[in-house]
Amino acid sequence: MNYIYEIFEKATIRGIADYLLFGKGPDPDDRSYEERLEEPYMRFEKAVAKYDKNPASELLDLSNEITSETASVYMEIGMQIGILLMQDMFNNINREKATD
């Protein structure tokens, strides 16, 4: 019966996303969304500065554009998946009600 509790522990948005994207559970990380986004961006900004000292670097602009578009596409995909999951849940509920 302990395996059920393990499933509930993994049933988080991040856990589901990591499983769908990478086929594994999430790495423990208590940072906020903002902190998780900020850290790699700062590393990237430092790396770009090695090659382009301009604070309005075209590389930074292009990186922001890629990031923005990627986030938009994945949000749209995620919303569609959420709707499909809701439809599946309603179908399951209706099927159970029909057998009662």
Side-chain angles (χ1 to χ4, degrees):
M1 202 68 166
N2 285 339
Y3 67 94
I4 293 174
Y5 296 111
E6 291 176 23
I7 291 171
F8 288 134
E9 288 174 5
K10 295 176 184 176
T12 63
I13 296 297
R14 181 151 185 228
I16 292 168
D18 283 352
Y19 179 75
L20 291 173
L21 291 171
F22 309 115
K24 63 178 187 143
D27 294 328
D29 192 344
D30 295 332
R31 296 178 297 167
S32 69
Y33 290 139
E34 187 175 332
E35 291 169 328
R36 288 173 46 204
L37 292 171
E38 186 72 18
E39 189 266 330
Y41 183 81
M42 296 306 292
R43 285 191 331 211
F44 179 76
E45 199 172 62
K46 286 179 184 177
V48 169
K50 291 179 188 176
Y51 303 101
D52 187 351
K53 302 293 182 200
N54 180 1
S57 169
E58 182 181 3
L59 290 174
L60 290 175
D61 290 343
L62 289 172
S63 171
N64 288 333
E65 187 177 332
I66 289 170
T67 301
S68 178
E69 197 60 36
T70 300
S72 179
V73 167
Y74 279 112
M75 175 59 88
E76 292 172 27
I77 291 169
M79 291 176 71
Q80 291 177 44
I81 289 170
I83 291 168
L84 291 174
L85 289 171
M86 285 175 37
Q87 287 176 332
D88 190 44
M89 287 174 30
F90 287 131
N91 290 339
N92 289 342
I93 290 168
N94 289 334
R95 190 176 315 119
E96 287 180 22
K97 286 182 181 177
T99 59
D100 288 342

